[in-house]
């Protein structure tokens, strides 16, 4: 393929057409007239040798190739935006830009407030956008990192990418405050006996501490599967269930949820949270400033947690 022959202006049009599945709405979204959008669709159809959008009644549906392109064009569009938004200089006080993060609800609860407060103080024109991390995002980590400024995730899930170290945390076990079958201390027999609330449902998606538990010969009896950590205390409260929760998050929400926090009866692997980023950002002054702020806020969060213990 000759890249010099490609018209990159077609990328946002392609994305709009595939997402809107309507020529008029797609044109309005990218600032083109209906005839100009139709002409762009014709060019895209010739390039891909495919209809991309096929008419069904009063609307359009995506062809199989159109569906495949829909999964790819948003990432390609984001990469191109970031490529042409790279700068040698960055003045945070005068900046009018947006940073995008992909994060778990846990990391957002711990670092979101101090990070947003610090950025607002130093760069009041900067907007922050936080996306909830998903299993597919972790499975395709290269595409995820290419489409975000930072991915908040602890060590143990990915490697071979640069990261900004943030803070350390540890795992605690959580049971209902009125669970009379559990004393002041948990045993490994308790872990095997009690039903569990866990994050996600595939073995590879378990937290490192839960994977560690299975390596010790304790197979959790899973009763509830959730997509975020903050819902766990409310699904443990008033039941005989048990769950693992990070100490920093537990401090914020467990007191109001009617749960009791106990030390794990095994040496649970500690949490080392980091912000992972794509190497293409390395020389971008805008991103260098962001990494410096994130590192500074992470160090403050880590110091505060150590002082509170």
């Amino acid at each position: 393929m000759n890249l010099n022959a490609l018209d990159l202006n077609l990328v946002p049009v392609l994305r709009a057409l595939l997402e809107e599945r309507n020529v008029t709405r797609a044109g309005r979204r990218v600032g083109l007239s209906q005839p100009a959008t139709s002409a762009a669709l014709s060019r895209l159809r010739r390039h891909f040798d495919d209809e991309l959008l096929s008419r069904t009644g009063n609307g359009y549906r995506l062809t199989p190739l159109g569906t495949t392109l829909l999964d790819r064009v948003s990432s390609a569009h984001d990469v191109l935006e970031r490529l042409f938004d790279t700068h040698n200089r960055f003045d945070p006080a005068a900046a009018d830009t947006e940073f995008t993060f992909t994060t778990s609800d846990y990391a957002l609860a711990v670092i979101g407030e101090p990070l947003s407060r610090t950025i607002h103080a130093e760069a009041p024109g900067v907007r922050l956008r936080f996306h909830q991390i998903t299993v597919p995002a972790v499975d395709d980590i290269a595409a995820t990192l290419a489409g975000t400024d930072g991915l908040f995730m602890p060590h143990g899930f990915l490697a071979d990418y640069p990261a900004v170290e943030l803070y350390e945390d540890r795992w605690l076990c959580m049971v209902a405050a009125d669970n009379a079958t559990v004393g002041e201390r948990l045993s490994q027999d308790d872990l095997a006996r009690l039903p569990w609330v866990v994050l996600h449902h595939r073995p590879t998606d378990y937290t490192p501490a839960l994977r560690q538990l299975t390596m010790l010969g304790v197979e959790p009896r899973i009763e509830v599967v959730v997509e975020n950590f903050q819902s766990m205390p409310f699904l443990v409260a008033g039941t005989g269930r048990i769950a693992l929760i990070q100490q920093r998050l537990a401090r914020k929400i467990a007191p109001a949820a009617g749960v009791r926090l106990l030390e794990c009866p095994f040496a649970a692997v500690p949490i080392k949270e980091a912000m992972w980023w794509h190497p293409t950002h390395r020389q971008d002054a805008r991103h260098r400033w962001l990494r410096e702020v994130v590192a500074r806020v992470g160090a403050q969060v880590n110091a505060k947690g150590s002082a509170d213990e």
Side-chain angles (χ1 to χ4, degrees):
M1 180 182 295
N2 182 5
L3 292 177
N4 292 328
L6 296 179
D7 182 357
L8 296 182
N9 289 315
L10 290 174
V11 174
V13 182
L14 174 63
R15 181 179 186 177
L17 284 165
L18 296 179
E19 291 182 351
E20 298 291 344
R21 304 183 190 187
N22 180 281
V23 174
T24 302
R25 288 199 303 269
R28 189 181 303 123
R29 175 168 154 181
V30 297
L32 292 178
S33 65
Q34 195 274 344
T37 309
S38 295
L41 176 58
S42 297
R43 292 180 61 189
L44 288 163
R45 283 170 167 167
R46 287 195 299 272
H47 174 82
F48 289 106
D49 192 22
D50 188 89
E51 285 295 296
L52 302 178
L53 296 169
S54 59
R55 184 173 288 280
T56 56
N58 294 327
Y60 289 90
R61 64 175 178 82
L62 299 182
T63 65
L65 179 60
T67 301
T68 298
L69 291 173
L70 177 62
D71 293 335
R72 299 179 180 179
V73 69
S74 59
S75 295
H77 184 269
D78 290 343
V79 169
L80 287 170
E81 277 193 333
R82 294 178 191 284
L83 174 65
F84 288 100
D85 197 33
T86 301
H87 301 288
N88 287 325
R89 298 179 181 85
F90 181 72
D91 180 3
D96 179 11
T97 188
E98 180 175 280
F99 290 108
T100 301
F101 301 98
T102 303
T103 177
S104 67
D105 65 311
Y106 153 67
L108 182 58
V110 173
I111 202 169
E113 185 273 329
L115 179 61
S116 62
R117 178 163 34 84
T118 300
I119 289 181
H120 174 74
E122 300 181 18
V126 166
R127 299 172 300 282
L128 303 181
R129 186 181 299 272
F130 294 95
H131 294 293
Q132 174 71 33
I133 196 168
T134 63
V135 173
V138 178
D139 289 342
D140 192 0
I141 201 66
T144 299
L145 289 176
T148 191
D149 289 297
L151 168 64
F152 292 111
M153 178 175 284
H155 286 272
F157 289 89
L158 67 153
D160 301 325
Y161 285 96
V164 176
E165 303 302 327
L166 298 178
Y167 57 85
E168 295 187 0
D169 206 345
R170 66 193 190 103
W171 293 102
L172 296 174
C173 288
M174 175 173 54
V175 298
D178 57 358
N179 189 339
T181 70
V182 176
E184 295 300 316
R185 286 189 168 188
L186 284 166
S187 67
Q188 289 196 18
D189 288 340
D190 290 325
L191 304 186
R193 173 179 61 85
L194 298 173
W196 280 81
V197 179
V198 301
L199 185 75
H200 302 314
H201 65 281
R202 297 187 303 183
T204 54
D205 297 328
Y206 292 164
T207 63
L210 200 58
R211 289 202 304 266
Q212 184 181 357
L213 189 60
T214 62
M215 293 172 65
L216 295 173
V218 178
E219 292 295 334
R221 181 163 61 90
I222 298 171
E223 188 168 279
V224 178
V225 179
V226 296
E227 295 295 320
N228 58 76
F229 287 106
Q230 293 194 43
S231 63
M232 285 184 168
F234 304 98
L235 293 168
V236 168
T239 74
R241 299 170 187 147
I242 187 171
L244 284 165
I245 191 169
Q246 306 91 336
Q247 180 173 279
R248 292 180 186 272
L249 179 60
R251 286 174 177 166
K252 292 178 176 291
I253 62 175
V259 296
R260 190 156 43 107
L261 301 172
L262 299 168
E263 295 289 335
C264 296
F266 62 99
V269 60
I271 302 164
K272 294 188 175 182
E273 192 74 18
M275 186 192 82
W276 305 83
W277 50 279
H278 200 280
T280 54
H281 297 310
R282 192 178 303 277
Q283 301 304 322
D284 184 356
R286 171 181 173 276
H287 201 270
R288 285 200 304 269
W289 174 81
L290 177 66
R291 298 197 300 269
E292 186 276 326
V293 172
V294 169
R296 179 159 31 98
V297 172
Q300 292 168 356
V301 170
N302 200 50
K304 185 178 186 302
S306 300
D308 290 344
E309 292 176 3

